[in-house]
Amino acid sequence: SGGIKAVTSLFRPSLFKNKVAIVTGGGTGIGKGITQELLYLGCKVMIASRNADRIQTGAAEMRGWLRQHGRSENQLEVATCNIRKEPEVKSLISQTLDTFGQLDFVVNNGGGQFVCPAKDISLKGWNAVVDTNLTGTFLMCREAYKQWMEANGGAIVNIIADMWKGFPMMSHSGAARSGVDNLTKSLALEWVHSGVRVNSVAPGSSIYSDTAAANYGDLSIFEENKKTVPYGRLGSVEEVSSAVCFLLSPAASFITGESLRVDAGQSLYAIATYKIPEHKTKIATYKWEDDLEQQTSDGKEK
Ligand code: ADE
């Protein structure tokens, strides 16, 4: 209908009626999928991005969908916020509270990284990735808690990555997202008495989105990836957003501090996308026999 992709959910359409969410990076890729499902379920959503221009296309499309379905366009708002900047995070939370009057959910999806061998990552590049993915997520959680959730409860979902076996060529992002996995557990315990649940969702690198495809600029990366997925197919943003909506919903009321993998078992499977380059130098096997001989002769000398 009018070039607008069907937006739907397996959950009851009124599930998030009278709820308010912030989704960082909510105009593109996985964040857009999450925003669309939240909107479908009746949630009011503030999508935030460092570059507001970049999410305007996604926002316009979602407003079109709202209009077509007799919903108020006011169900969706867009804010500019660089999550690396503390004052901007503070004002994103207060702006959301001013606009919608409450804040039930935060989805920390905004982030990013670049492919680079660890030895070539500059300090600036490293800091940019850690500041966005780890520190930005921390700031969003802390401000949402202080300004609203400490007094009123809520649910937070952090989007991480398949960094469980290391993240070669994206070591900065792997370190940052592993940090978020641990932060999720700390916050879950520290904030449980306020009625705040904190969980993560870890999508596999086999999740296809037009945004990811455009970022990589090369579709063969997905074809290669497919071979390492037990299902033998790519995943969709909808398959990630349903996991996020589940964790935000009362269906997950007894779940906190958890990181849920949405990867069709890819992270369990032994075939890796990363290929070890041919060794220049082999790591030698330790020669125990020589060592024992040496010890014996040492013993004889004494
Ligand atoms: N998405 C990617 N980088 C971001 C940032 N610094 N702030 C908000 N959203 C982002």
Side-chain angles (χ1 to χ4, degrees):
S1 53
I4 294 165
K5 201 176 164 191
V7 176
T8 187
S9 174
L10 288 165
F11 298 110
R12 152 167 68 86
S14 62
L15 184 63
F16 294 142
K17 209 171 151 238
N18 303 320
K19 299 290 183 190
V20 174
I22 297 176
V23 181
T24 60
T28 53
I30 288 172
K32 185 180 161 200
I34 295 165
T35 304
Q36 285 179 310
E37 185 157 3
L38 288 171
L39 290 172
Y40 176 87
L41 296 172
C43 197
K44 299 183 188 87
V45 187
M46 175 71 84
I47 55 177
S49 173
R50 180 171 47 143
N51 181 349
D53 285 348
R54 202 171 160 232
I55 59 174
Q56 283 306 339
T57 316
E61 190 189 318
M62 290 189 276
R63 287 206 188 93
W65 180 86
L66 288 169
R67 231 179 292 121
Q68 282 196 348
H69 291 79
R71 306 275 195 92
S72 166
E73 284 183 42
N74 299 335
Q75 210 188 320
L76 180 68
E77 291 288 338
V78 180
T80 304
C81 172
N82 184 347
I83 56 171
R84 296 182 209 171
K85 304 253 167 76
E86 188 174 30
E88 293 189 27
V89 170
K90 285 185 175 175
S91 63
L92 171 63
I93 306 295
S94 58
Q95 191 190 330
T96 306
L97 292 171
D98 288 347
T99 306
F100 292 126
Q102 65 195 63
L103 177 58
D104 305 281
F105 309 138
V106 171
V107 180
N108 288 303
N109 163 80
Q113 59 269 308
F114 52 94
V115 176
C116 188
K119 75 174 168 69
D120 296 329
I121 299 176
S122 67
L123 178 60
K124 186 166 174 265
W126 174 272
N127 284 340
V129 172
V130 172
D131 283 353
T132 307
N133 296 286
L134 177 57
T135 312
T137 295
F138 163 70
L139 290 173
M140 284 292 299
C141 291
R142 191 197 67 191
E143 275 316 300
Y145 185 71
K146 286 175 73 165
Q147 292 189 40
W148 183 261
M149 292 186 179
E150 180 174 17
N152 302 283
I156 297 172
V157 171
N158 301 316
I159 307 301
I160 51 174
D162 179 0
M163 73 301 156
W164 309 105
K165 294 179 176 174
F167 214 2
M169 307 303 280
M170 292 197 275
S171 56
H172 40 23
S173 179
R177 290 162 190 286
S178 241
V180 172
D181 172 52
N182 197 269
L183 178 69
T184 297
K185 297 171 195 175
S186 301
L187 300 183
L189 294 176
E190 287 196 25
W191 296 350
V192 69
H193 68 282
S194 307
V196 176
R197 293 183 303 106
V198 189
N199 293 291
S200 291
V201 165
S205 50
S206 55
I207 301 298
Y208 177 87
S209 75
D210 293 336
T211 312
N215 280 348
Y216 293 120
D218 176 11
L219 290 183
S220 68
I221 192 167
F222 285 109
E223 283 310 306
E224 277 307 302
N225 203 284
K226 210 155 95 172
K227 297 174 189 164
T228 71
V229 184
Y231 285 13
R233 70 159 172 88
L234 299 177
S236 65
V237 295
E238 290 80 9
E239 287 175 308
V240 178
S241 74
S242 56
V244 174
C245 288
F246 162 68
L247 287 172
L248 293 174
S249 83
S253 56
F254 212 58
I255 303 176
T256 195
E258 183 59 87
S259 291
L260 179 59
R261 300 179 198 203
V262 180
D263 68 357
Q266 187 180 24
S267 59
L268 301 175
Y269 196 40
I271 300 175
T273 48
Y274 178 70
K275 297 281 175 280
I276 307 290
E278 202 166 316
H279 289 218
K280 283 207 197 91
T281 54
K282 309 275 191 233
I283 299 171
T285 307
Y286 191 71
K287 296 270 196 304
W288 287 104
E289 302 88 340
D290 297 356
D291 194 47
L292 286 170
E293 233 167 74
Q294 190 61 41
Q295 282 183 38
T296 314
S297 56
D298 284 354
K300 275 177 193 153
E301 273 162 27
K302 274 175 199 149

